[in-house]
Amino acid sequence: MATEHIVVVGAGQMGAGIAQVALQAGLRVTLADVSKEGLAKGAERIRGGLKKLAEKGKLDEAKRAAAEANLSTLTDVKEAKDVDFAVEAVTENEDLKRRIFQDLDAVVRPGGILATNTSSIPITRIAASTKRPESVIGMHFMNPVPVMQLVELIRGAATSDETYATTRALAEKMGKTTVVSKDYPGFIVNRILIPMLNEACFALMEGLGSVEDIDTAMKLGTNQPMGPLQLADFIGLDTVLYIAEVLHKGLGDSKYRPSPLLRQYVDAGWYGKKSGRGFYKY
C-alpha cells in the first residue's frame, strides 16, 4: 500500500523540517507534540518555509496552499487515525523514544512503518519495544531538513526488505538521496563526523592552533563549507558530546573518548549557537 498519511512526532526543528518536505511531496501530514506552544511554533515554521519557497518560485501557489491544507496537528499521538507511516523526531532520549514507539505501534495501521530520526540510538533496541520489529527502521535526516539532500537509512536486526524498500521510496519521493547503514553506533555520518569534531577539540585544547586557525585550515585545506569547531557550535556541543559518549561506550575504543575541553564547555552551559556561546560567541 502506498504511503499517503504520515505522522511526525516532535515539532522541533527536525520534526518541522521532515513534515515540510513530506507536505511538499504531496503527503498528508499530522504533526504531533505534547507541547501546544512547540506545536504552534513548528506549524508556523512549516508555513514560513513553504511561503519562502513560493516567494522564490520553487513552489507554485496552488501546491503551497494544498501543502498547508494537508497539515494537521495533535498533542496526543494516540489520537492519530489512518496512519501509513510514522517518523519520530524527538530529543535523543532512549526511554522517551521507546514509549513513543509503543504508542505508535497502536496507531499505525497493520503493515505500516515506524521510523526514527535518531542519530545515535540503536534501531534494534527501539524496535524491541514494539510488536512489529520488522517494520522499524532508522530514517536519519540531516539538518536543516528542507536543504540537506541526504537521508541515512539504518536497518535494525529485524528490519524487513519490504520496510527498507518502502522507506527508501518515501525518502526519494521527498527529493532525498539515501544511503544505507548497519545498526552500529553512530551509523555512517556520525561515526566519521563526530571523531573529526572531537579531534578538533583536542587540537584546540593542546594549543595546536586557535579556533579561527583550526577552522580556516579545515575549510580551505579540505574544501569544507564550515570549520569543525563552528560546525560543532551549530550542531550543539551537548549533542556532539552525547554522540561521542555513545561511540565511546558502544565501540569500546579509547580513540572515541570525548575531549575534556568539549566536556568542560558543556558543563559551563556553552552549547554553541543555541546558547549564545560555544567556541564562538553569537
Side-chain angles (χ1 to χ4, degrees):
M1 188 181 293
T3 301
E4 297 178 357
H5 176 209
I6 81 167
V7 164
V8 178
V9 184
Q13 187 170 358
M14 292 301 295
I18 294 166
Q20 181 184 319
V21 296
L23 289 165
Q24 289 169 216
L27 297 167
R28 189 159 55 93
V29 178
T30 298
L31 183 65
D33 198 296
V34 293
S35 166
K36 287 184 179 180
E37 181 182 358
L39 203 53
K41 286 182 179 178
E44 187 59 33
R45 187 194 297 267
I46 292 165
R47 286 190 286 268
L50 294 171
K51 183 179 179 182
K52 283 182 182 178
L53 288 173
E55 289 171 349
K56 292 178 180 178
K58 295 181 179 180
L59 188 69
D60 67 48
E61 184 55 32
K63 287 185 178 179
R64 185 201 64 77
E68 280 202 23
N70 275 334
L71 175 65
S72 59
T73 59
L74 277 177
T75 54
D76 187 351
V77 73
K78 287 182 278 191
E79 295 177 3
K81 305 290 184 185
D82 303 318
V83 181
D84 302 315
F85 199 107
V87 183
E88 168 274 315
V90 303
T91 187
E92 288 288 90
N93 179 302
E94 184 171 342
D95 289 340
L96 174 61
K97 288 180 186 290
R98 288 168 70 94
R99 289 197 299 273
I100 289 170
F101 268 74
Q102 289 167 359
D103 291 341
L104 292 173
D105 205 2
V107 300
V108 174
R109 66 169 177 78
I113 292 169
L114 313 179
T116 173
N117 183 58
T118 183
S119 58
S120 59
I121 297 170
I123 309 307
T124 301
R125 286 214 303 259
I126 293 174
S129 64
T130 75
K131 296 176 182 176
R132 55 173 107 185
E134 72 284 352
S135 300
V136 176
I137 191 168
M139 194 179 193
H140 183 208
F141 290 82
M142 305 295 123
N143 188 30
V145 179
V147 176
M148 300 294 279
Q149 286 296 106
L150 183 70
V151 171
E152 199 174 23
L153 302 179
I154 305 97
R155 299 185 64 155
T159 305
S160 70
D161 290 343
E162 183 180 3
T163 294
Y164 166 70
T166 301
T167 306
R168 179 178 176 181
L170 177 62
E172 291 174 348
K173 186 174 183 178
M174 294 178 181
K176 304 303 184 184
T177 298
T178 65
V179 295
V180 62
S181 170
K182 290 185 177 180
D183 189 19
Y184 294 138
F187 315 135
I188 293 173
V189 173
N190 283 328
R191 173 71 176 269
I192 297 168
L193 175 64
I194 297 301
M196 184 187 77
L197 305 187
N198 192 44
E199 192 62 29
C201 296
F202 272 113
L204 179 64
M205 184 181 77
E206 294 165 9
L208 185 65
S210 67
V211 170
E212 292 78 9
D213 283 349
I214 289 170
D215 275 355
T216 299
M218 292 304 292
K219 280 195 293 184
L220 302 185
T222 63
N223 203 27
Q224 296 181 35
M226 188 180 293
L229 298 173
Q230 185 183 16
L231 178 56
D233 273 359
F234 274 64
I235 293 170
L237 302 190
D238 53 336
T239 301
V240 174
L241 175 60
Y242 175 82
I243 300 173
E245 289 174 332
V246 167
L247 291 172
H248 190 209
K249 180 180 178 182
L251 297 168
D253 192 320
S254 63
K255 73 179 181 180
Y256 297 110
R257 72 194 187 283
S259 162
L261 182 65
L262 173 62
R263 195 179 298 281
Q264 184 184 61
Y265 274 40
V266 172
D267 287 344
W270 299 347
Y271 300 147
K273 190 172 186 294
K274 63 186 176 185
S275 70
R277 178 171 183 175
F279 295 109
Y280 295 87
K281 290 184 179 179
Y282 299 90

